[in-house]
Structure formats: structure tokens, C-alpha cells
Amino acid sequence: MNKRIADLNRYLADKGLKITRQREAVAQVFFDTDGHISAEELYVKVSRSYPGVGLTTVYRTLKLLKEAGLAKERRFAEDSQGVFEKEDTARHHDHLICIRCGKIVEFKEPLIEKLQDEVAQRHGFSVEDHKMELYGLCSSCRTA
Amino acid sequence: MNKRIADLNRYLADKGLKITRQREAVAQVFFDTDGHISAEELYVKVSRSYPGVGLTTVYRTLKLLKEAGLAKERRFAEDSQGVFEKEDTARHHDHLICIRCGKIVEFKEPLIEKLQDEVAQRHGFSVEDHKMELYGLCSSCRTA
DNA sequence: TGAGAACATGATAATCAATTTCAATTACCG
DNA sequence: CGGTAATTGAAATTGATTATCATGTTCTCA
């Protein structure tokens, strides 16, 4: 059915972990979600289709998905809870966030990544990952 | 004595807030600290020179310092603890973080900021602030 | 200068997301 | 199938941060 579910199952098998109803339910709903979702929100969504899955299990499954490289955790505002999004390594992106309405736009800028590598090299670092968030006003909020 | 303490006192006066022993103690120790420090760490440090200042007050003072534009709060990786650093608006910088030893190097790259503005403009955004963190291995950890 | 009003303090309690615990349940290897 | 190790979910716990509140301090203005 789903390539990503298969990826997860392969990861579980490799680690000697088990494929359970709950894990498949959480993963399925997560993979069907676009954009960002918190553990709490995902829990509510999963409960609708597959009642009886606990919040604890949602947290645990998200952790597994991260370990398997299938999900990525983000933390936008400095006070909020973590949110998760599908990891698509082929399409790494950064975020543009409106400080008034909260709108989030994803973008990718290879030139910036190239410069990041250069800067890191200058300091003797190799870059494994990065996080870049631009905070500002979107067009609607600017004219309003 | 200290220009920054004066800045803080001016801010407090403007807001109708009061200059207290505790606020000066926390601010003084904070301004004497280079790099990043958590509220808890600052509390310990303050307690050595000025015993009897509560953790609650350290949190409250750091919040004031942020509001006054004299401190900046950061949250690296997915660590749940926020850290603070002196804000020197004339020298905004980003961070290079070693994922093995935790070493943090600050850097500034005007070219990247120029590109950020361009990307934002393309999406109708104005940029007010940004956060960029590069995660990788420092030279010592790479060769170890 | 001194009294009063407003603000600040600090111990403790409360919050909130996230993790741990643990007894009961389930997957899966042979 | 049977046994064992992994998994589950409810509840308890953690860890960082914030709110509460009675008491103490600062600062204004007469």
C-alpha cells in the first residue's frame, strides 16, 4: 500500500522491534498529513480513525519515525511544543514564518546551502544538518 | 560603571519599573558572562556573588532583559532548556554547533542574509529576524 | 524627609509537554 | 502452539518555566 509504511516496517524488523496495529495506525495518519502536526494533534486525528491508541504511543511512534529518518521534529516559537513533519530527504527545505498571522511557507535555496558549507569549512566544521527560519510579515499582514 | 546596567535602568525607569538590588545582581553577572547561559546556570552563578536571589527572579530578570533588547533567548537542537546571550544588535550572528562535543562557534555571513531577503521577497515576505543554525562536526571531533 | 501606593521578591504551587513506570497484553521466532 | 521479549496505556514523574500571594522595597510627591 504505502511505501513509507514499508520503510518503517523494514526499520522495525532490522532493529528487532515489532509491527503493531498502533504503530501502523499512527504512521498511516501521520503520512497522510501534510505540513506540521504536534503529537497532541496527531493523537486526536488518530483517535478518530483508530480509537484506543494512547497519547504515549503517539509520542513513542513519532520518536521511532524520527530515528527511522521518516519524520523530522521542529520547534518554531521559543515557547511552543514540538511539531513533526514528514522527512523527505530529497527535498530538504527551510521556513518563512509570518510573525503576525503565523502563516508558514516552505522554501529551498541551494545557494544559501552552498554558502553555509563554505562558512562551516572556514571554521573547520562539516555540515550534517541545518535549521533556518526567517521571521517577518507576509504580504497580507504587511498591507493590513 | 557599566553601560549596559545603565541601559537597563533607563528601560526600567521608562516603564515605571523599579531598580532593585536583585535585578542589578542578575544583570551584572549576566553581562559579565560570555557565550550562552541558562537561567538555572545563571542562578547558580549569581548565588555565589549575591546569595539570596531567587531562581524566580532570575527568570523574571532575563525576561526583562529580553524586553529591553539586552538579551536574546535561544533554543538549540531539541533541547528543552532555553539559553540566553547578550544581545549586541550591531553584531547579529548565527551559530555553528558540533553535534558530538557541543562546541558552539558564532559567525556572520552578510551574503547569506542578502539571499534570505531575496528569498523572502519572492514569497511576498519582509524579514524582521532570522535564525540559522548549522549542525555538524568540528575539526577535533572529525579527526577523533 | 516620610507616608503611601505601586511594584518586586521568593517560597511554593501550578502548568505543560514529554518521558518513565509497570502490570497486563501482544507479536513473532522456532 | 509456547515462551520470551517487546509493546501498550494509564497514571505517575520529570524538568523547565510561570503564576500565586503574603511580605518586603522602591520611589514619588507633598
Side-chain angles (χ1 to χ4, degrees), chain B residues 19-64:
Chain B
I19 297 168
T20 66
R21 248 174 292 117
Q22 292 92 331
R23 281 178 180 163
E24 288 208 325
V26 174
Q28 191 59 68
V29 175
F30 176 70
F31 291 140
D32 285 347
T33 300
D34 286 321
H36 312 87
I37 192 167
S38 69
E40 201 84 33
E41 287 162 352
L42 183 56
Y43 168 64
V44 171
K45 225 174 155 188
V46 169
S47 296
R48 279 202 280 270
S49 320
Y50 309 87
V53 173
L55 176 57
T56 310
T57 295
V58 172
Y59 271 105
R60 280 191 284 231
T61 305
L62 282 169
K63 196 175 184 182
L64 276 176

Side-chain angles (χ1 to χ4, degrees), chain A residues 103-142:
Chain A
K103 179 179 172 187
I104 296 177
V105 172
E106 298 174 354
F107 70 90
K108 184 172 167 62
E109 181 51 64
L111 250 67
I112 291 182
E113 300 192 12
K114 191 159 164 292
L115 283 171
Q116 289 176 338
D117 277 341
E118 286 176 21
V119 169
Q121 229 173 59
R122 225 177 291 151
H123 292 278
F125 274 67
S126 63
V127 177
E128 304 296 327
D129 194 10
H130 78 259
K131 179 195 288 187
M132 180 164 60
E133 289 149 26
L134 308 184
Y135 296 89
L137 292 169
C138 71
S139 51
S140 334
C141 288
R142 198 132 36 74

Side-chain angles (χ1 to χ4, degrees), chain A residues 37-107:
Chain A
I37 192 166
S38 70
E40 202 84 35
E41 287 163 351
L42 184 56
Y43 167 65
V44 171
K45 225 174 155 190
V46 169
S47 296
R48 279 201 281 271
S49 320
Y50 309 86
V53 173
L55 177 57
T56 310
T57 296
V58 172
Y59 271 106
R60 281 192 283 230
T61 305
L62 282 169
K63 197 176 185 182
L64 276 176
L65 289 170
K66 269 201 301 185
E67 287 165 20
L70 296 166
K72 190 148 189 117
E73 186 172 4
R74 307 260 181 192
R75 205 173 285 269
F76 292 121
E78 82 248 327
D79 54 328
S80 69
Q81 58 183 338
V83 290
F84 298 81
E85 66 183 328
K86 285 173 274 191
E87 171 74 332
D88 190 334
T89 45
R91 203 176 55 85
H92 176 89
H93 59 264
D94 296 298
H95 298 91
L96 201 45
I97 300 152
C98 180
I99 54 181
R100 182 165 300 162
C101 70
K103 179 179 172 187
I104 296 177
V105 172
E106 298 174 354
F107 70 90

Side-chain angles (χ1 to χ4, degrees), chain A residues 18 20 22-23 52 54 57 60:
Chain A
K18 292 169 183 171
T20 66
Q22 292 92 330
R23 281 176 181 165
T57 296
R60 281 192 283 230

